Amino acid sequence: GNATQKAYEETLLKFIYYHNWFVGGSECPREGAGCSNWFYSQVWWVGIAGETDGISSYASAAQIRQETVNSFNQMAAEQNDLYNYGVMPWQVLPILSSPWATECTFGGMKHLGISLLESSIIDKVDYAVKCPNDFRVLEIEKFTPRLLTFDEYTHWHFIFYFDLRPYIREESTFNLIKTVFVCIVLCVASLFFSSDANALVLQPVEHMITKVEKIRDNPLAAMKMADDEFKREEITKMKKGQKGTRNRLLDAYGSCCKHNHTELMETVILEKTIIKLGSLLALGFGEAGANIVSHNMQGSNSANVDAMIEGSRVECIVGNARIRDFSIATEVLQGKVMTFVNQVAEIVHGIVDQFHGAVNKNNGDTFLVIWRTAGMSDEQVTKMAEMSIVAFARIVAAVHASVVLAGYRHHPGL
């Protein structure tokens, strides 16, 4: 009957207007009230689908009358509820009342219906769409009745297609932001990781390689490295000792609240070990044996040690410093004689190095001291000879002035 037809048409229009595509992309008709722009999808295609050709009769019967469309659109224009439908553009009203004759094939089924976006509308519809397959699969979503048997569903059923493009755009934006964020996090993490790797591994290893190469080229350079390292350690200790009261309190507070991380890293320990080994080599072989060490270290393709290398002429000034009555001192001091020799050696090594010489070796009570003059001019050789004489004079003076050695003068056995 007419009442049933009108009830069907109004119900269908309520569904279409509730998901009004043309309000979904704009502001709501009433401020503070809801409308279809609350959602990310709106209906744009209405029709009947089925696998048989008999859906044409159902599609013709499903057409909405023009007067019903006009009256409902007028009601939507005057509506002032918590949720407002909003009106359709005047170009769409004839489409709503037109026959459901737009034929499409999608998902293996024949479709007959109407498309609200079948023609372009200025400032409304930029891309005209007649069938669901004109969209990408991800950009549409279909809704169909569920309380149907399989035979009823395949015979014919109502079908509504929703436009998911606003949702897809929003999702794509968030995916791009997420991708950019992940890229930034990975870049920052890689920078931190590479920075830690450089600071903890690569740079210490490079420093060690540099020191080994210096020792390989000039074994005596290990002595200077050891002296420089010792000076840096002493300066660091002195700076820590000169901290003010405020800094000491902060350090005390930090030591109470944090674990002690003063343990040296393995790379630092290895670097200091290389310097110590180089210093011991320089002390053991001396100035004259530096060529032996350098020759063996430069042969990197073999682990063999060749101490019998061919000799070479060395031009130098040779000096001999001897501890007098050393045999008596040995008998008297016995186990403490090494302490006595080391105290004397400290003076001899320090002064000789200060005057550009080198203590080649120590043989009990004798120190063999040399000043190399290879490649020097006559004037430079003369200056080097004068420095050697001054060095020995300074050694004698330092031994007599030493407070440490002064204690041996009052020894009853000496």
Side-chain angles (χ1 to χ4, degrees):
N2 187 45
T4 305
Q5 174 74 10
K6 187 174 182 180
Y8 153 74
E9 292 174 346
E10 289 181 349
T11 302
L12 185 59
L13 287 172
K14 282 182 181 180
F15 183 83
I16 296 173
Y17 272 75
Y18 189 89
H19 302 283
N20 192 335
W21 189 94
F22 298 94
V23 177
S26 60
E27 298 292 333
C28 290
R30 299 287 185 270
E31 186 177 358
C35 64
S36 63
N37 76 348
W38 282 3
F39 311 107
Y40 280 113
S41 61
Q42 292 82 28
V43 67
W44 68 276
W45 202 94
V46 181
I48 291 176
E51 294 182 354
T52 63
D53 295 333
I55 63 172
S56 300
S57 58
Y58 298 107
S60 61
Q63 181 181 356
I64 305 174
R65 293 174 296 183
Q66 182 66 48
E67 59 270 18
T68 307
V69 172
N70 293 336
S71 62
F72 195 91
N73 194 69
Q74 182 64 32
M75 181 274 296
E78 299 172 355
Q79 185 187 15
N80 189 13
D81 299 327
L82 292 178
Y83 188 95
N84 298 302
Y85 297 130
V87 297
M88 295 281 184
W90 63 268
Q91 297 95 328
V92 179
L93 296 180
I95 297 175
L96 287 172
S97 59
S98 64
W100 291 16
T102 302
E103 184 175 345
C104 304
T105 302
F106 187 74
M109 286 191 175
K110 183 179 179 181
H111 292 60
L112 288 176
I114 55 174
S115 171
L116 305 182
L117 309 178
E118 68 178 20
S119 59
S120 298
I121 302 175
I122 299 175
D123 297 332
K124 296 288 185 181
V125 181
D126 296 328
Y127 178 66
V129 183
K130 287 190 176 182
C131 293
N133 49 13
D134 292 336
F135 276 133
R136 300 182 183 92
V137 176
L138 295 176
E139 294 177 343
I140 57 174
E141 184 176 6
K142 71 176 181 179
F143 288 87
T144 58
R146 297 298 181 185
L147 298 178
L148 297 175
T149 63
F150 182 77
D151 292 336
E152 290 174 339
Y153 179 82
T154 56
H155 184 58
W156 77 276
H157 59 271
F158 279 99
I159 189 166
F160 304 89
Y161 282 95
F162 281 68
D163 183 7
L164 296 180
R165 286 180 295 175
Y167 172 76
I168 296 298
R169 280 195 288 270
E170 195 79 11
E171 185 182 34
S172 301
T173 302
F174 282 116
N175 285 335
L176 285 174
I177 294 173
K178 182 169 65 175
T179 303
V180 172
F181 175 75
V182 171
C183 291
I184 293 174
V185 170
L186 289 177
C187 290
V188 173
S190 65
L191 289 175
F192 276 107
F193 179 78
S194 61
S195 176
D196 291 341
N198 289 332
L200 300 177
V201 180
L202 297 180
Q203 292 178 359
V205 170
E206 288 177 355
H207 291 163
M208 285 187 283
I209 293 174
T210 303
K211 286 181 171 59
V212 170
E213 289 178 349
K214 288 182 179 179
I215 295 173
R216 182 181 65 184
D217 296 335
N218 181 16
L220 298 179
M223 299 291 294
K224 186 175 185 305
M225 292 181 190
D227 292 340
D228 294 339
E229 188 69 24
F230 179 73
K231 288 177 183 178
R232 281 195 292 268
E233 292 174 357
E234 291 298 316
I235 291 172
T236 303
K237 291 179 182 178
M238 183 178 65
K239 288 181 178 179
K240 288 182 179 179
Q242 292 177 350
K243 284 186 177 180
T245 306
R246 179 174 175 272
N247 291 332
R248 290 178 182 175
L249 291 175
L250 290 175
D251 290 343
Y253 174 77
S255 62
C256 293
C257 301
K258 298 180 180 178
H259 296 290
N260 188 10
H261 297 290
T262 57
E263 185 177 354
L264 293 176
M265 291 174 22
E266 288 79 359
T267 52
V268 177
I269 297 173
L270 185 57
E271 185 176 351
K272 293 180 181 294
T273 303
I274 290 173
I275 295 175
K276 290 178 181 178
L277 290 174
S279 301
L280 292 174
L281 278 175
L283 289 173
F285 284 88
E287 180 79 13
N291 289 335
I292 299 175
V293 179
S294 178
H295 173 78
N296 283 276
M297 292 188 69
Q298 287 176 357
S300 57
N301 56 347
S302 175
N304 183 42
V305 177
D306 182 15
M308 304 302 294
I309 64 172
E310 184 179 354
S312 59
R313 179 183 176 86
V314 178
E315 296 181 0
C316 62
I317 299 172
V318 180
N320 199 10
R322 181 172 176 270
I323 303 175
R324 290 197 310 173
D325 302 322
F326 185 71
S327 58
I328 297 175
T330 304
E331 292 178 2
V332 172
L333 298 176
Q334 294 185 357
K336 295 181 181 180
V337 69
M338 291 305 299
T339 304
F340 172 69
V341 172
N342 288 336
Q343 290 168 345
V344 175
E346 182 181 5
I347 296 172
V348 175
H349 280 260
I351 294 176
V352 170
D353 183 70
Q354 183 180 357
F355 284 86
H356 301 282
V359 179
N360 188 60
K361 67 177 181 178
N362 168 241
N363 186 15
D365 61 339
T366 305
F367 297 92
L368 181 62
V369 186
I370 63 173
W371 280 264
R372 298 188 68 168
T373 59
M376 295 184 180
S377 63
D378 293 340
E379 184 180 355
Q380 290 174 333
V381 172
T382 302
K383 288 183 178 179
M384 192 67 70
E386 291 174 353
M387 281 196 294
S388 64
I389 295 173
V390 174
F392 279 108
R394 290 287 299 274
I395 290 172
V396 174
V399 168
H400 284 83
S402 174
V403 178
V404 176
L405 296 178
Y408 293 99
R409 295 172 186 167
H410 305 289
H411 196 285
L414 300 175

